[in-house]
Structures are given as C-alpha cells and as structure tokens.
Amino acid sequence: MHFDQRTQQALRAVGLETDDLQTASDAVAEAVADDAATLESFFNEHETVYSDMDMAHSASDYPEHSVDYADITTHAAEMRGWLRFDTWGVYVEGGRILDAENDDVELTLGPTINDRVRFAADRETLR
C-alpha cells in the first residue's frame, strides 16, 4: 500500500477500512501504470515532438525534439524514467496526459532542466 501512515490513519478516521484502503491503493497504482504506458507510447509513436521548454539556443518558442525512446517505470503512485532524444537525454518523473487524444502530455524533467515541460505532436497544440 502506498499511503503513508498518517494518510492511512486519516482515511480510517473518516470510516475507510483496511480493505478499502488497499482497493484505493491498487486503483492508484493501476492508474499510474496506465498513464506511464500512455506516455511511453506517445513518445515512442512520434519521431518528432515539440515542447514549451525554454532552450537557450532555440530560435523557436516551441522547440523540436527528435525522439529516440522513452522508458518510464512505476512503483505504486510513483512514475519515473528516462526520455532520450537524438543528442541528449533526461530523467523524467510525474507525467500526465493533458488531453484525451494523447496529443499533449506533461512531464517533470530532472537535472539540468528541473521544470515541468509540455510536449505535443505539433506546435499548434502548445499555443
């Protein structure tokens, strides 16, 4: 179960039983795994994506990135992985799908970016 002890105590105080907590925990883990698979598919299905990342040497407001691969794993409610572009890669975590058609996603990129970044299959989606 991924709920910490304080959260478990609070949920029990409002009437949830241990079985309810386990069911909720399992549902969260499944939702995170589904989102991770969707994010991984988004990057693996597009050879090129665009982002709202502020890049010092980019002439565009929405830089283009050639995708090599995405490898995203989960553990309970945590999502982490690696996103590799043609010339660089970055640690990622905490991704989410921003629209139902998976044309717009968001990830937290680790060092050296250290920011939430939106990615889309086209620049229009980011405008």
Coordinates of all heavy atoms in Angstrom, one line a residue, residues 4 6 29 39 42 58 85 87 92 94 99 116 121:
D4 N 1.0 6.7 3.1 CA 1.8 6.7 4.3 C 0.9 6.5 5.6 O -0.3 6.6 5.5 CB 2.6 8.0 4.4 CG 1.8 9.3 4.6 OD1 0.8 9.3 5.3 OD2 2.1 10.3 3.9
R6 N 0.2 8.4 8.2 CA -0.7 9.5 8.6 C -1.9 9.5 7.7 O -3.0 9.7 8.1 CB 0.0 10.8 8.5 CG 1.0 11.0 9.6 CD 1.6 12.4 9.5 NE 2.7 12.5 10.5 CZ 4.0 12.4 10.2 NH1 4.4 12.2 8.9 NH2 4.9 12.5 11.1
A29 N -2.3 2.8 -8.2 CA -1.2 2.1 -8.8 C -1.5 1.8 -10.3 O -0.7 1.9 -11.2 CB -0.7 0.9 -8.0
L39 N 2.1 7.5 -21.8 CA 3.2 8.5 -22.0 C 4.3 7.8 -22.9 O 4.8 8.4 -23.8 CB 3.8 9.0 -20.7 CG 2.9 10.0 -19.9 CD1 3.3 10.1 -18.5 CD2 2.9 11.3 -20.6
F42 N 3.2 7.6 -26.4 CA 3.2 8.9 -27.0 C 4.6 9.2 -27.6 O 4.7 9.6 -28.8 CB 2.8 10.0 -26.0 CG 3.0 11.4 -26.6 CD1 2.1 12.0 -27.4 CD2 4.2 12.1 -26.2 CE1 2.3 13.3 -27.9 CE2 4.4 13.4 -26.7 CZ 3.5 14.0 -27.6
S58 N 17.5 28.0 -29.0 CA 16.5 27.6 -29.9 C 15.9 28.9 -30.5 O 15.6 29.9 -29.7 CB 15.3 26.9 -29.2 OG 14.3 26.7 -30.1
F85 N 16.4 11.8 -26.5 CA 16.3 12.5 -27.8 C 17.5 12.1 -28.6 O 18.4 11.4 -28.1 CB 16.1 14.0 -27.6 CG 14.8 14.4 -26.8 CD1 14.9 14.9 -25.6 CD2 13.6 14.1 -27.4 CE1 13.8 15.2 -24.9 CE2 12.4 14.5 -26.7 CZ 12.5 15.0 -25.4
T87 N 20.2 13.8 -29.4 CA 21.5 14.3 -28.9 C 21.6 14.4 -27.4 O 22.7 14.8 -26.9 CB 21.9 15.6 -29.6 OG1 20.9 16.6 -29.2 CG2 22.0 15.5 -31.1
V92 N 13.0 11.7 -16.1 CA 11.7 12.2 -16.0 C 10.9 11.6 -14.8 O 11.3 10.5 -14.3 CB 10.9 12.0 -17.3 CG1 11.6 12.6 -18.5 CG2 10.7 10.5 -17.6
G94 N 6.7 12.0 -12.7 CA 5.4 12.7 -12.6 C 4.7 13.1 -13.8 O 4.2 14.2 -13.9
D99 N -4.6 15.8 -22.6 CA -5.8 15.7 -23.4 C -6.1 14.3 -23.7 O -5.2 13.4 -23.7 CB -5.9 16.6 -24.6 CG -5.1 16.1 -25.8 OD1 -4.6 14.9 -25.8 OD2 -5.0 16.8 -26.8
R116 N 8.6 21.5 -15.1 CA 7.5 20.8 -15.8 C 7.5 21.3 -17.3 O 7.7 22.4 -17.5 CB 6.1 21.1 -15.2 CG 5.9 20.7 -13.8 CD 5.7 19.3 -13.6 NE 4.5 18.7 -14.2 CZ 4.2 17.5 -14.1 NH1 5.0 16.6 -13.6 NH2 3.0 17.0 -14.7
A121 N 2.5 16.6 -30.3 CA 2.9 16.1 -31.6 C 3.0 17.2 -32.6 O 3.6 17.0 -33.7 CB 1.9 15.1 -32.0

